[in-house]
Each structure stands twice: as structure tokens, then as C-alpha cells.
Amino acid sequence: MGLGPGGQSLGWQHGMEAQGQAGGSGDTEIDWKAYMQEVEGFANGTLDYTQLKGDTGPLVYPAGFVYIFLGLYHATGRGSNIRLAQYLFAALYLLNLLLVFRIYCRTNKVPPYVFFFMCCASYRIHSIFVLRLFNDPVAMAILFLAINLFLEEHWSWGCLLFSLAVSVKMNILLFAPGLLFLLLQRFGLLGCIPKLCICALLQVVLGLPFLLVNPIGYLTRSFDLGRQFQFKWTVNWRFLPEEVFQNRAFHAALLLAHLAGLGLFALHRWHSSKESILTLLKDPAKRKPSSPPLTVNEIVFILFSSNFLGICCSRSLHYQFYVWYFHTLPYLLWCTPTTKLAHMPKVLLLGVIELCWNTYPSTVCSSLSLHICHGLILLQLWYGTAPMPVSHTPTPSRKCTATSKKAQ
């Protein structure tokens, strides 16, 4: 089920089509002008984060966003050349596809025909990347680059890029529980501390100019976990009354559900050893029995399922948030054993999810359907992995071989 030359050609062809559509649509941006106004304040010398604002409100992203979009600000003539910005995002779209394809090629789980749907069947993703110029695709492309580095055992560089992705948009933190589990499994408690320090140090370095001027303002604006979302933009909770949607008790219930889901998956699906999960705190060399090396599918499964659990329990999903998990859906659907008859229902599930995200404005039916699809994926992840999506075939012992020869 490898990607092969056909899949690579499909990625290049689709990238060229994306470049063509960018060339034909120069007035489809949504937040681009606000982004440019926010970083222009920094370019003019404003270091108080509470004073950086745009037409859509105050700046609410960490410092990595400021530096990356400041580069785009200068590259596009102070943000005036939207057409050039869309060409640059089309190139980012192509790069993101190549990074995702490389991950899927390593896992060898997803049938090649599914890549056609990933490339050509999502108008919403194409719009988010190439036309709307959101910061979400930038964060996700950096994240997929980090995952590629994890798969190559470059954990320090991967953690550095993971932290950089977080500094562009905080949704990347949904992958953090899975990454912490992987670091503990790979290095133990003492061994993972330097990797966590890399993540923390980069955040301090990037935010230092703002931390020196107004540390409270920077932290409360860029890492505001309690920010209220507007009901009119929600994709996933349209079937609820607005009073419930805005209720803090409802938010607390979602947080508890998220933590419970992470705990259950960590204990029963991510942790493949029969030993206590507390053995992850030990140095891998001192564990008895010794831990097997992490496989590609273990790394991808843990990271993707960690993010998906957060998506399912999100307080609100806006249309651009689709990119947070769109490219992980094929793996989540096909990482479990799949019979010939089960392929079509999984493709249909992808289609229904796409339809939900393309329904604007969202409806009671579309948001309920989205939750049903998410629930079905969770169920097949839970019951289809026992305990991990990768099975290890034991090699026959010499004694068994000798016995079988005598029997002959």
C-alpha cells in the first residue's frame, strides 16, 4: 500500500492546479489584512502584545506567528500583494502534501486510491490553504515536518519544530499528550526532560521581546485557553442552544471528557506492554522486560489519535479548523484491520465529514452528522486496535523447530 510514483505525481499535479486557482482568485482572503495589521504594529516597534491589533480584534497568537507573517508582510509589499501571498500558500500546500505523503508512505497502511480523495475531493481544505491565507496551514505544515523528523529518530530537532508550530497556533498542543507519551516511552522521565526543555526554551526565545515589555499581556493574549468562541461560526455544536454552548459548565464537561479519553487511550491503546504504565518513567535500559523500539505506526497512531481526541472534545470548531485533522483522517480510518467490504464505508465516512465541513452555515443536521462520524471513528479506533495497530509476529523458537522435525 505504498504511495509510489503515481501518488507523488498526483501531489505535484494537484499542487499545480492549486497554483492556478490562486492565480485566478485574488480577493478571497479573510484574516490576511488583519494579520498584516497586527504584524505591522510589531514592525513599527510596538512590543506590548496588548497593543497589537487588527480589524478582527487583538492579536491572539504566539510570537512565532508574528515572525513568520512579518516575513510574508515584507515579501508581499506590506501585505498589499495578496495574489503573491496566495502563490506562496499554494507552494506551502504542495509542501504539506509531500510531508503527509512521506508519513503515509512510511506507515504503509492506507490504500493508494485514498490519496486521490486527500488531494482532489476537499474544496474546503483547498480554500483554507490557497485562498483564505489562514495561519492554521502554516502551523500544520511545520507539525508534519516535525513528525517526519520523529520518524527518522531526530527527536531533538522534531521537538524544536513542534514547539515552533505551537508558536504559530496553539491547536498543535492537541498533539502534545501523545508526544509526551512517546518521549517517556523512548527516553524515560530523565531522558525526556531535555526534549521538553527544548520546547520550552524556544517559546521563551521567541517571546522574549514581548516578555520583557509586558509578560502578563503576552502570556494572557497568546496562550488564552479560556477564550470564548462565537456561536455563529461553530461547525460542531450547532444543535445546542447558544446558552449551553457558552456555558462554562459545558466547557468543563468537555475538558473532563478529553482528559478521560486521553487516559483511556494511554492506558489501553498506546501502552502496549503488560507492565504498569509507570514503567515509562524508568530509563529504557533498566526496564524489565526491555521495551521494544518504537515503530513508525506506533508514533503516528499515538500522535494522530491524541489530536483526534482533542478535536472530538473541542469547545468549538470553525471552518478553518478542518485542516487540524483532515490529513490524519485516512490513517485513523485505515490503521485498523480492514476487510474488502469495509473500504467503501470508510470512503463514505470521509465523504460525509467533507459534506459537514462544506455546509455553510452549519446546521443541526450537519453538526450532528459530524459528531456521529467522529464517534464511529473513535469506536473503530478503540475496538480495532488491540492494543496497537501494529502486530508483531513471534519467530519460532529453536526448540519448537526441533520438536517439529522429530514429529516428521
Side-chain angles (χ1 to χ4, degrees):
M1 290 191 216
L3 183 58
Q8 297 171 14
S9 175
L10 181 63
W12 282 108
Q13 181 180 355
H14 192 54
M16 294 303 102
E17 292 172 358
Q19 297 253 4
Q21 184 160 347
S25 304
D27 57 350
T28 55
E29 62 81 25
I30 294 179
D31 285 345
W32 172 260
K33 291 179 181 177
Y35 290 169
M36 295 298 101
Q37 291 165 352
E38 291 162 358
V39 300
E40 186 174 41
F42 173 67
N44 292 334
T46 302
L47 296 179
D48 185 346
Y49 229 65
T50 61
Q51 300 304 312
L52 297 176
K53 300 176 183 179
D55 287 341
T56 58
L59 174 59
V60 293
Y61 307 117
F65 162 86
V66 175
Y67 299 126
I68 291 174
F69 277 81
L70 180 65
L72 293 171
Y73 170 83
H74 290 298
T76 58
R78 297 184 178 181
S80 61
N81 193 343
I82 297 177
R83 182 68 54 82
L84 175 58
Q86 290 178 327
Y87 278 126
L88 293 173
F89 271 76
L92 176 69
Y93 180 49
L94 178 58
L95 174 62
N96 185 79
L97 277 179
L98 294 176
L99 291 171
V100 171
F101 282 2
R102 189 175 186 275
I103 294 170
Y104 277 86
C105 188
R106 294 288 304 277
T107 62
N108 200 32
K109 286 283 184 179
V110 180
Y113 68 85
V114 178
F115 294 100
F116 169 81
F117 296 95
M118 187 187 296
C119 286
C120 303
S122 180
Y123 165 80
R124 180 65 64 186
I125 290 298
H126 187 265
S127 172
I128 291 169
F129 263 92
V130 182
L131 302 180
R132 306 305 184 184
L133 307 177
F134 290 115
N135 61 333
D136 305 74
V138 178
M140 291 306 300
I142 299 172
L143 181 276
F144 286 126
L145 179 56
I147 293 177
N148 273 276
L149 289 171
F150 293 146
L151 298 183
E152 298 295 336
E153 285 288 309
H154 299 305
W155 291 93
S156 295
W157 285 107
C159 286
L160 186 72
L161 283 172
F162 180 87
S163 184
L164 179 61
V166 171
S167 75
V168 177
K169 191 155 188 177
M170 278 200 307
N171 71 284
I172 304 299
L173 288 175
L174 295 179
F175 292 87
L179 177 58
L180 177 60
F181 186 94
L182 290 171
L183 291 175
L184 287 172
Q185 187 169 343
R186 177 66 178 81
F187 300 102
L189 179 60
L190 294 178
C192 84
I193 289 177
K195 313 301 179 187
L196 297 179
C197 288
I198 291 174
C199 296
L201 182 61
L202 182 66
Q203 294 299 322
V204 173
V205 170
L206 292 175
L208 191 59
F210 310 104
L211 290 169
L212 292 175
V213 173
N214 185 352
I216 302 299
Y218 174 72
L219 294 174
T220 55
R221 280 288 173 84
S222 59
F223 295 100
D224 183 8
L225 297 175
R227 185 159 57 101
Q228 288 279 22
F229 294 101
Q230 295 183 23
F231 183 67
K232 67 177 182 178
W233 297 118
T234 187
V235 176
N236 57 331
W237 296 114
R238 179 65 62 185
F239 59 90
L240 292 178
E242 186 171 357
E243 304 78 43
V244 176
F245 175 81
Q246 299 289 2
N247 193 290
R248 292 291 184 180
F250 174 62
H251 302 164
L254 289 175
L255 177 60
L256 289 175
H258 186 197
L259 294 176
L262 288 172
L264 288 171
F265 266 75
L267 287 170
H268 302 291
R269 291 300 177 265
W270 299 349
H271 187 55
S272 56
S273 173
K274 294 181 180 180
E275 300 295 320
S276 168
I277 196 170
L278 295 178
T279 57
L280 295 177
L281 303 178
K282 297 180 180 179
D283 187 316
K286 298 179 180 178
R287 294 172 189 165
K288 293 182 181 180
S290 59
S291 300
L294 286 168
T295 66
V296 167
N297 278 287
E298 284 175 337
I299 294 172
V300 175
F301 176 79
I302 290 172
L303 289 173
F304 284 8
S305 60
S306 172
N307 178 64
F308 185 69
L309 287 167
I311 294 290
C312 292
C313 300
S314 176
R315 287 190 290 124
S316 183
L317 294 174
H318 295 179
Y319 285 95
Q320 68 267 32
F321 297 177
Y322 191 20
V323 76
W324 292 5
Y325 76 130
F326 170 79
H327 292 101
T328 71
L329 286 173
Y331 183 84
L332 293 173
L333 284 168
W334 272 272
C335 68
T336 56
T338 305
T339 62
K340 291 183 179 180
L341 294 177
H343 284 281
M344 185 54 66
K346 293 186 176 184
V347 173
L348 290 176
L349 200 60
L350 286 177
V352 174
I353 292 174
E354 178 69 21
L355 184 62
C356 294
W357 283 96
N358 280 318
T359 302
Y360 177 81
S362 62
T363 64
V364 170
C365 182
S366 68
S367 60
L368 274 174
S369 299
L370 186 62
H371 278 288
I372 291 171
C373 291
H374 287 173
L376 291 174
I377 295 174
L378 277 179
L379 285 174
Q380 72 100 28
L381 285 176
W382 182 260
Y383 290 106
T385 55
M388 289 294 300
V390 178
S391 60
H392 301 281
T393 305
T395 56
S397 63
R398 292 182 179 179
K399 186 175 180 180
C400 291
T401 306
T403 304
S404 62
K405 285 184 179 179
K406 288 181 179 180
Q408 292 176 355

